[in-house]
Amino acid sequence: MSACEDVRENVKKYYGSRLESSGDLQTSVASCNLSCRPVPRSVTDALSLVHPEVTKRFFGCGLPFPAKLEGCRVLDLGSGSGRDCYAFSKLVGPSGYVTGVDMTEELITASRQYIEYHQKKFGHEKPNITFVQGYMEKLNEAGVQSDSMDVVLSNCVLCLCPDKRAVLQQAYNVLKEGGEIYYSDMYASKVVPDHMKEDAVLWGEGMGGSLFWQDLISLAHSVGFSTPCLVSASQIAIYNCELKAKAGDISYASGTYRLFKLPKGSVLSEATVTYRGTVAEFPDQLDFDSSHRFKKDVAVEVNGEMAEILQRSRFFSDFKIQISDQPESSSASTPQYCHLNPFLLADKLGSSVTQCSKTSK
Protein backbone atom coordinates (compact mmCIF):
# COMPACT_ATOMS: atom_id res chain seq x y z
CA MET A 1 0.00 0.00 0.00
CA SER A 2 1.39 3.43 -0.96
CA ALA A 3 1.78 6.27 1.54
CA CYS A 4 -1.13 8.10 -0.11
CA GLU A 5 -3.39 5.04 0.14
CA ASP A 6 -2.34 4.53 3.75
CA VAL A 7 -3.42 8.08 4.61
CA ARG A 8 -6.75 7.54 2.87
CA GLU A 9 -7.44 4.38 4.87
CA ASN A 10 -6.65 6.16 8.14
CA VAL A 11 -9.00 9.03 7.26
CA LYS A 12 -11.76 6.59 6.29
CA LYS A 13 -11.49 4.88 9.67
CA TYR A 14 -11.28 8.18 11.56
CA TYR A 15 -14.39 9.70 9.98
CA GLY A 16 -16.31 6.60 9.01
CA SER A 17 -16.21 4.71 12.32
CA ARG A 18 -14.31 6.50 15.06
CA LEU A 19 -16.17 9.82 15.03
CA GLU A 20 -19.88 9.67 15.79
CA SER A 21 -20.42 13.45 15.69
CA SER A 22 -18.56 16.73 15.25
CA GLY A 23 -18.35 16.93 19.04
CA ASP A 24 -15.79 14.12 18.96
CA LEU A 25 -13.24 16.29 17.15
CA GLN A 26 -10.38 17.65 19.25
CA THR A 27 -10.28 21.04 17.51
CA SER A 28 -12.86 23.74 16.93
CA VAL A 29 -13.03 23.01 13.19
CA ALA A 30 -16.75 22.39 13.43
CA SER A 31 -17.32 26.07 14.22
CA CYS A 32 -18.12 28.26 11.25
CA ASN A 33 -15.97 31.04 9.87
CA LEU A 34 -16.88 34.57 10.77
CA SER A 35 -17.75 36.11 7.44
CA CYS A 36 -17.17 39.69 6.36
CA ARG A 37 -20.93 39.89 5.80
CA PRO A 38 -24.06 38.49 7.44
CA VAL A 39 -25.02 35.02 6.29
CA PRO A 40 -27.92 35.32 3.80
CA ARG A 41 -31.35 34.27 5.00
CA SER A 42 -31.59 31.71 2.19
CA VAL A 43 -28.50 29.90 3.53
CA THR A 44 -29.63 29.81 7.16
CA ASP A 45 -33.09 28.67 6.04
CA ALA A 46 -31.62 25.90 3.87
CA LEU A 47 -29.36 24.68 6.68
CA SER A 48 -32.24 24.70 9.16
CA LEU A 49 -34.19 22.32 6.90
CA VAL A 50 -31.43 19.69 6.77
CA HIS A 51 -32.29 16.52 8.68
CA PRO A 52 -30.82 16.56 12.25
CA GLU A 53 -29.07 13.22 11.78
CA VAL A 54 -27.24 14.62 8.75
CA THR A 55 -26.18 17.75 10.64
CA LYS A 56 -25.00 15.68 13.61
CA ARG A 57 -22.24 14.06 11.53
CA PHE A 58 -21.04 17.31 9.96
CA PHE A 59 -17.28 17.85 10.33
CA GLY A 60 -16.71 21.05 8.31
CA CYS A 61 -14.69 24.09 9.31
CA GLY A 62 -16.41 26.94 7.48
CA LEU A 63 -19.48 28.10 5.63
CA PRO A 64 -18.70 27.81 1.90
CA PHE A 65 -21.92 29.16 0.43
CA PRO A 66 -21.26 31.62 -2.42
CA ALA A 67 -23.97 33.89 -3.77
CA LYS A 68 -25.95 33.25 -6.95
CA LEU A 69 -26.17 29.46 -6.96
CA GLU A 70 -29.64 29.11 -8.49
CA GLY A 71 -29.56 26.92 -11.58
CA CYS A 72 -25.91 25.97 -11.07
CA ARG A 73 -24.35 22.55 -11.38
CA VAL A 74 -22.49 22.13 -8.10
CA LEU A 75 -19.91 19.56 -7.01
CA ASP A 76 -19.12 19.07 -3.30
CA LEU A 77 -15.72 17.50 -2.66
CA GLY A 78 -15.65 15.35 0.46
CA SER A 79 -19.39 15.62 0.98
CA GLY A 80 -19.27 13.68 4.26
CA SER A 81 -22.69 13.42 5.90
CA GLY A 82 -24.25 15.45 3.09
CA ARG A 83 -25.18 18.51 5.17
CA ASP A 84 -23.80 21.06 2.73
CA CYS A 85 -25.01 19.09 -0.31
CA TYR A 86 -28.59 19.12 0.91
CA ALA A 87 -28.42 22.83 1.64
CA PHE A 88 -26.96 23.40 -1.84
CA SER A 89 -29.79 21.37 -3.38
CA LYS A 90 -32.23 23.85 -1.87
CA LEU A 91 -30.18 26.86 -3.05
CA VAL A 92 -29.64 25.70 -6.65
CA GLY A 93 -33.35 24.99 -7.00
CA PRO A 94 -35.04 22.44 -9.27
CA SER A 95 -33.13 23.70 -12.34
CA GLY A 96 -29.74 23.10 -10.69
CA TYR A 97 -28.03 19.89 -9.68
CA VAL A 98 -25.70 18.85 -6.84
CA THR A 99 -23.20 16.00 -6.82
CA GLY A 100 -21.47 14.96 -3.61
CA VAL A 101 -18.25 12.93 -3.77
CA ASP A 102 -16.73 11.16 -0.77
CA MET A 103 -14.37 8.22 -0.39
CA THR A 104 -15.96 6.91 2.82
CA GLU A 105 -18.58 4.24 2.15
CA GLU A 106 -20.29 4.68 5.53
CA LEU A 107 -20.87 8.39 4.94
CA ILE A 108 -22.08 7.94 1.35
CA THR A 109 -24.53 5.26 2.46
CA ALA A 110 -25.81 7.45 5.29
CA SER A 111 -26.16 10.47 2.99
CA ARG A 112 -28.25 8.62 0.42
CA GLN A 113 -30.83 7.66 3.04
CA TYR A 114 -32.16 11.23 3.18
CA ILE A 115 -32.51 12.09 -0.54
CA GLU A 116 -36.29 11.53 -0.62
CA TYR A 117 -36.74 13.32 2.73
CA HIS A 118 -35.10 16.51 1.45
CA GLN A 119 -36.77 16.32 -1.97
CA LYS A 120 -40.15 16.46 -0.24
CA LYS A 121 -38.95 19.03 2.31
CA PHE A 122 -37.84 21.38 -0.46
CA GLY A 123 -40.88 20.75 -2.65
CA HIS A 124 -38.94 19.46 -5.65
CA GLU A 125 -40.77 17.26 -8.17
CA LYS A 126 -37.70 15.04 -8.56
CA PRO A 127 -34.33 14.71 -6.78
CA ASN A 128 -31.65 17.18 -7.85
CA ILE A 129 -28.86 15.54 -5.90
CA THR A 130 -26.68 12.45 -6.07
CA PHE A 131 -23.91 11.01 -3.90
CA VAL A 132 -20.96 9.16 -5.44
CA GLN A 133 -18.24 7.19 -3.72
CA GLY A 134 -14.87 8.14 -5.15
CA TYR A 135 -11.66 10.05 -4.72
CA MET A 136 -11.22 13.80 -5.12
CA GLU A 137 -7.93 13.12 -6.92
CA LYS A 138 -9.75 10.95 -9.51
CA LEU A 139 -13.03 12.69 -10.28
CA ASN A 140 -13.27 11.31 -13.83
CA GLU A 141 -13.15 7.77 -12.42
CA ALA A 142 -16.03 8.76 -10.14
CA GLY A 143 -18.06 9.74 -13.21
CA VAL A 144 -17.63 13.52 -13.05
CA GLN A 145 -17.13 14.88 -16.57
CA SER A 146 -14.61 17.55 -17.53
CA ASP A 147 -15.93 21.11 -18.07
CA SER A 148 -19.29 20.16 -16.52
CA MET A 149 -19.52 22.12 -13.26
CA ASP A 150 -20.29 25.77 -12.53
CA VAL A 151 -19.11 25.65 -8.92
CA VAL A 152 -16.95 23.23 -6.94
CA LEU A 153 -17.33 23.49 -3.18
CA SER A 154 -15.56 21.86 -0.30
CA ASN A 155 -15.67 22.11 3.47
CA CYS A 156 -12.50 21.28 5.39
CA VAL A 157 -11.39 18.19 3.47
CA LEU A 158 -8.33 19.24 1.47
CA CYS A 159 -6.35 19.21 4.72
CA LEU A 160 -7.14 15.48 4.92
CA CYS A 161 -5.77 14.80 1.44
CA PRO A 162 -2.05 14.09 0.92
CA ASP A 163 -2.00 15.21 -2.75
CA LYS A 164 -3.57 18.67 -2.74
CA ARG A 165 -2.24 19.55 -6.18
CA ALA A 166 -4.08 16.57 -7.69
CA VAL A 167 -7.33 17.65 -6.00
CA LEU A 168 -7.06 21.23 -7.28
CA GLN A 169 -6.10 19.98 -10.75
CA GLN A 170 -9.15 17.74 -10.85
CA ALA A 171 -11.37 20.59 -9.66
CA TYR A 172 -9.93 22.80 -12.40
CA ASN A 173 -10.58 20.11 -15.03
CA VAL A 174 -14.25 19.54 -14.14
CA LEU A 175 -15.09 23.27 -13.95
CA LYS A 176 -16.49 25.13 -16.91
CA GLU A 177 -14.55 28.18 -18.06
CA GLY A 178 -15.51 31.00 -15.71
CA GLY A 179 -16.40 28.53 -12.96
CA GLU A 180 -14.94 28.60 -9.49
CA ILE A 181 -13.89 26.45 -6.58
CA TYR A 182 -15.17 28.05 -3.37
CA TYR A 183 -13.99 26.22 -0.30
CA SER A 184 -13.09 26.31 3.37
CA ASP A 185 -10.07 24.52 4.75
CA MET A 186 -7.58 24.48 7.63
CA TYR A 187 -4.31 26.36 7.14
CA ALA A 188 -1.07 26.37 9.12
CA SER A 189 0.98 29.42 10.11
CA LYS A 190 4.12 27.69 8.82
CA VAL A 191 5.09 24.55 6.92
CA VAL A 192 4.01 21.45 8.88
CA PRO A 193 7.02 19.15 9.54
CA ASP A 194 7.05 15.57 8.28
CA HIS A 195 6.83 13.96 11.73
CA MET A 196 3.44 15.67 12.29
CA LYS A 197 2.19 14.43 8.91
CA GLU A 198 2.93 10.86 10.02
CA ASP A 199 0.74 11.13 13.15
CA ALA A 200 -2.64 9.51 12.34
CA VAL A 201 -4.64 11.54 14.88
CA LEU A 202 -3.01 14.84 13.87
CA TRP A 203 -3.85 14.02 10.27
CA GLY A 204 -7.41 13.03 11.13
CA GLU A 205 -7.89 16.35 12.91
CA GLY A 206 -6.61 18.21 9.85
CA MET A 207 -3.51 19.44 11.67
CA GLY A 208 -0.97 17.11 10.05
CA GLY A 209 -2.14 17.83 6.51
CA SER A 210 -2.84 21.56 6.73
CA LEU A 211 -1.22 23.61 4.01
CA PHE A 212 0.98 26.59 4.88
CA TRP A 213 -1.32 29.38 3.69
CA GLN A 214 1.27 31.05 1.44
CA ASP A 215 1.79 27.79 -0.46
CA LEU A 216 -1.84 27.91 -1.64
CA ILE A 217 -1.06 30.87 -3.90
CA SER A 218 1.73 29.18 -5.87
CA LEU A 219 -0.22 25.91 -5.91
CA ALA A 220 -3.29 27.62 -7.39
CA HIS A 221 -1.24 29.35 -10.07
CA SER A 222 0.58 26.14 -11.01
CA VAL A 223 -2.74 24.39 -11.65
CA GLY A 224 -4.10 27.26 -13.76
CA PHE A 225 -6.43 29.01 -11.32
CA SER A 226 -6.61 32.72 -10.67
CA THR A 227 -4.97 34.20 -7.59
CA PRO A 228 -7.05 33.02 -4.60
CA CYS A 229 -9.57 35.46 -3.15
CA LEU A 230 -9.83 35.27 0.66
CA VAL A 231 -13.47 35.49 1.72
CA SER A 232 -13.44 34.85 5.47
CA ALA A 233 -11.32 33.38 8.25
CA SER A 234 -11.25 32.40 11.91
CA GLN A 235 -8.67 31.06 14.33
CA ILE A 236 -8.89 27.37 15.24
CA ALA A 237 -8.55 26.33 18.88
CA ILE A 238 -7.10 22.96 19.83
CA TYR A 239 -9.02 21.31 22.69
CA ASN A 240 -6.69 18.43 23.41
CA CYS A 241 -3.58 19.27 25.47
CA GLU A 242 -1.54 16.45 23.95
CA LEU A 243 -2.30 17.56 20.40
CA LYS A 244 -1.62 21.16 21.34
CA ALA A 245 1.82 20.16 22.62
CA LYS A 246 2.55 18.27 19.40
CA ALA A 247 1.63 21.35 17.34
CA GLY A 248 4.26 23.41 19.15
CA ASP A 249 4.45 26.93 17.74
CA ILE A 250 2.25 26.19 14.72
CA SER A 251 -1.09 27.96 14.76
CA TYR A 252 -4.13 27.01 12.70
CA ALA A 253 -6.84 29.02 11.00
CA SER A 254 -9.89 28.22 8.93
CA GLY A 255 -9.96 30.15 5.68
CA THR A 256 -12.54 30.34 2.89
CA TYR A 257 -11.09 31.09 -0.56
CA ARG A 258 -12.48 31.30 -4.08
CA LEU A 259 -10.38 30.44 -7.15
CA PHE A 260 -11.62 30.95 -10.73
CA LYS A 261 -10.92 29.12 -13.97
CA LEU A 262 -10.16 31.86 -16.48
CA PRO A 263 -9.37 31.56 -20.20
CA LYS A 264 -5.70 30.83 -20.81
CA GLY A 265 -3.64 33.59 -22.38
CA SER A 266 -6.08 36.37 -21.51
CA VAL A 267 -4.76 39.91 -21.81
CA LEU A 268 -5.52 41.44 -18.43
CA SER A 269 -6.56 45.07 -18.33
CA GLU A 270 -7.57 47.20 -15.38
CA ALA A 271 -11.21 48.23 -15.35
CA THR A 272 -13.84 50.35 -13.67
CA VAL A 273 -16.76 48.21 -12.52
CA THR A 274 -20.16 49.19 -11.20
CA TYR A 275 -22.40 46.76 -9.34
CA ARG A 276 -26.00 46.79 -10.58
CA GLY A 277 -27.52 45.49 -7.33
CA THR A 278 -29.00 42.48 -9.09
CA VAL A 279 -27.70 39.53 -7.02
CA ALA A 280 -30.52 38.13 -4.90
CA GLU A 281 -30.32 39.14 -1.22
CA PHE A 282 -27.59 41.70 -1.97
CA PRO A 283 -29.45 44.69 -3.44
CA ASP A 284 -27.23 47.34 -1.85
CA GLN A 285 -23.77 45.78 -1.60
CA LEU A 286 -22.04 42.60 -2.78
CA ASP A 287 -19.08 41.49 -0.69
CA PHE A 288 -17.21 39.45 -3.28
CA ASP A 289 -14.35 38.71 -0.88
CA SER A 290 -12.64 40.39 2.06
CA SER A 291 -10.91 42.89 -0.25
CA HIS A 292 -13.69 43.66 -2.74
CA ARG A 293 -16.97 45.16 -1.56
CA PHE A 294 -19.12 46.52 -4.34
CA LYS A 295 -21.84 49.04 -3.49
CA LYS A 296 -24.70 49.46 -5.91
CA ASP A 297 -24.14 52.16 -8.56
CA VAL A 298 -20.71 53.06 -7.18
CA ALA A 299 -17.84 52.79 -9.69
CA VAL A 300 -14.78 50.92 -8.39
CA GLU A 301 -11.39 50.43 -10.03
CA VAL A 302 -10.16 46.83 -10.05
CA ASN A 303 -7.05 45.11 -11.35
CA GLY A 304 -7.01 43.09 -14.53
CA GLU A 305 -7.50 39.71 -12.90
CA MET A 306 -10.58 40.79 -10.95
CA ALA A 307 -11.99 42.44 -14.08
CA GLU A 308 -11.51 39.15 -15.94
CA ILE A 309 -13.18 37.21 -13.10
CA LEU A 310 -16.25 39.46 -13.17
CA GLN A 311 -16.44 39.30 -16.98
CA ARG A 312 -16.08 35.53 -17.31
CA SER A 313 -17.96 34.23 -14.27
CA ARG A 314 -21.68 33.86 -13.56
CA PHE A 315 -21.59 37.43 -12.19
CA PHE A 316 -20.98 39.01 -15.62
CA SER A 317 -24.51 40.40 -15.92
CA ASP A 318 -24.41 41.92 -12.43
CA PHE A 319 -21.71 44.47 -13.29
CA LYS A 320 -21.19 47.27 -15.74
CA ILE A 321 -17.56 46.83 -16.74
CA GLN A 322 -15.49 49.49 -18.48
CA ILE A 323 -12.11 48.09 -19.55
CA SER A 324 -9.06 50.34 -19.66
CA ASP A 325 -7.59 51.01 -23.12
CA GLN A 326 -4.15 49.93 -21.91
CA PRO A 327 -3.19 46.39 -20.82
CA GLU A 328 -2.28 46.07 -17.17
CA SER A 329 1.39 46.87 -16.64
CA SER A 330 3.48 44.06 -15.17
CA SER A 331 5.38 45.14 -12.08
CA ALA A 332 8.97 44.04 -11.61
CA SER A 333 8.46 43.70 -7.89
CA THR A 334 7.19 40.53 -6.25
CA PRO A 335 3.43 40.67 -5.53
CA GLN A 336 2.51 41.12 -1.89
CA TYR A 337 -0.21 38.80 -0.61
CA CYS A 338 -0.74 39.97 2.96
CA HIS A 339 -4.44 40.48 2.19
CA LEU A 340 -4.71 36.72 1.59
CA ASN A 341 -3.39 35.78 5.04
CA PRO A 342 -6.24 34.05 6.96
CA PHE A 343 -4.53 34.70 10.32
CA LEU A 344 -4.47 38.47 9.74
CA LEU A 345 -8.10 38.49 8.61
CA ALA A 346 -9.16 36.36 11.61
CA ASP A 347 -7.51 38.87 13.94
CA LYS A 348 -9.14 41.75 12.10
CA LEU A 349 -12.56 40.14 12.41
CA GLY A 350 -11.95 39.32 16.07
CA SER A 351 -12.69 35.68 15.41
CA SER A 352 -10.14 34.12 17.72
CA VAL A 353 -11.65 31.15 19.56
CA THR A 354 -10.66 30.50 23.18
CA GLN A 355 -11.81 27.09 24.33
CA CYS A 356 -10.56 24.58 26.90
CA SER A 357 -9.06 21.27 25.95
CA LYS A 358 -11.39 18.31 26.31
CA THR A 359 -8.58 16.50 28.04
CA SER A 360 -8.32 19.19 30.71
CA LYS A 361 -12.00 19.17 31.56
Side-chain angles (χ1 to χ4, degrees):
M1 182 181 291
S2 68
C4 185
E5 290 172 332
D6 191 43
V7 169
R8 285 177 183 163
E9 289 304 313
N10 285 334
V11 172
K12 284 181 184 179
K13 292 175 183 176
Y14 200 77
Y15 283 84
S17 304
R18 178 172 176 175
L19 299 184
E20 291 299 324
S21 73
S22 58
D24 294 331
L25 287 169
Q26 302 300 306
T27 58
S28 63
V29 294
S31 61
C32 295
N33 281 344
L34 290 186
S35 177
C36 300
R37 58 178 170 80
V39 178
R41 177 70 180 272
S42 61
V43 173
T44 56
D45 285 350
L47 288 171
S48 71
L49 295 174
V50 175
H51 195 285
E53 284 300 313
V54 174
T55 301
K56 177 184 174 183
R57 289 183 67 112
F58 165 70
F59 303 114
C61 64
L63 197 62
F65 287 84
K68 203 172 181 178
L69 285 178
E70 187 172 0
C72 286
R73 293 188 63 85
V74 170
L75 174 67
D76 186 15
L77 300 179
S79 53
S81 70
R83 187 204 77 155
D84 287 357
C85 278
Y86 283 121
F88 294 141
S89 74
K90 176 76 163 64
L91 296 171
V92 301
S95 62
Y97 201 85
V98 177
T99 301
V101 175
D102 201 281
M103 67 177 180
T104 309
E105 183 179 0
E106 292 95 329
L107 292 175
I108 287 292
T109 300
S111 300
R112 289 171 175 166
Q113 295 176 5
Y114 299 96
I115 291 178
E116 184 178 356
Y117 170 88
H118 289 94
Q119 176 196 339
K120 293 178 178 178
K121 194 79 171 178
F122 300 153
H124 294 163
E125 290 186 9
K126 57 182 180 179
N128 66 341
I129 187 170
T130 187
F131 293 97
V132 179
Q133 186 177 0
Y135 296 111
M136 297 181 290
E137 307 94 325
K138 301 177 180 180
L139 292 177
N140 290 128
E141 291 184 10
V144 184
Q145 301 299 310
S146 298
D147 305 307
S148 64
M149 295 292 169
D150 298 298
V151 183
V152 173
L153 299 130
S154 182
N155 201 331
C156 208
V157 294
L158 262 72
C159 58
L160 302 174
C161 180
D163 193 349
K164 294 168 179 55
R165 178 183 170 80
V167 176
L168 287 179
Q169 187 65 67
Q170 285 289 294
Y172 183 90
N173 293 345
V174 302
L175 280 169
K176 301 175 185 177
E177 193 172 89
E180 68 168 317
I181 176 171
Y182 187 109
Y183 74 105
S184 296
D185 203 28
M186 282 179 68
Y187 291 92
S189 58
K190 58 177 64 178
V191 176
V192 176
D194 288 341
H195 73 270
M196 288 181 62
K197 295 177 182 179
E198 295 166 0
D199 188 304
V201 176
L202 286 179
W203 194 280
E205 292 286 334
M207 297 166 64
S210 288
L211 192 68
F212 174 39
W213 72 268
Q214 287 188 10
D215 289 342
L216 172 64
I217 301 166
S218 57
L219 187 60
H221 289 161
S222 70
V223 167
F225 278 115
S226 64
T227 301
C229 301
L230 176 60
V231 179
S232 59
S234 61
Q235 300 282 2
I236 290 178
I238 302 171
Y239 295 126
N240 185 292
C241 289
E242 183 180 349
L243 299 186
K244 192 172 184 177
K246 287 182 178 181
D249 61 351
I250 299 178
S251 300
Y252 293 90
S254 168
T256 298
Y257 290 90
R258 60 195 321 176
L259 290 64
F260 287 84
K261 181 178 180 177
L262 302 178
K264 295 181 179 179
S266 300
V267 177
L268 301 180
S269 300
E270 295 178 352
T272 301
V273 302
T274 307
Y275 176 50
R276 302 180 190 273
T278 48
V279 176
E281 296 187 287
F282 302 100
D284 302 315
Q285 177 173 304
L286 179 66
D287 293 343
F288 198 79
D289 59 31
S290 60
S291 301
H292 297 91
R293 299 180 180 182
F294 301 108
K295 292 184 178 180
K296 181 183 178 182
D297 297 332
V298 176
V300 178
E301 293 184 1
V302 297
N303 65 23
E305 189 172 49
M306 180 54 66
E308 188 76 356
I309 287 172
L310 296 178
Q311 272 191 305
R312 303 291 183 175
S313 69
R314 65 189 185 280
F315 298 95
F316 74 93
S317 63
D318 301 302
F319 288 85
K320 177 183 177 182
I321 303 175
Q322 186 174 352
I323 303 294
S324 170
D325 294 334
Q326 299 296 323
E328 188 173 53
S329 59
S330 57
S331 173
S333 60
T334 303
Q336 300 297 311
Y337 294 119
C338 292
H339 63 293
L340 302 182
N341 185 336
F343 295 91
L344 291 181
L345 181 60
D347 289 341
K348 180 181 177 181
L349 296 176
S351 55
S352 298
V353 181
T354 305
Q355 291 175 302
C356 297
S357 163
K358 284 189 176 182
T359 308
S360 68
K361 287 184 181 180

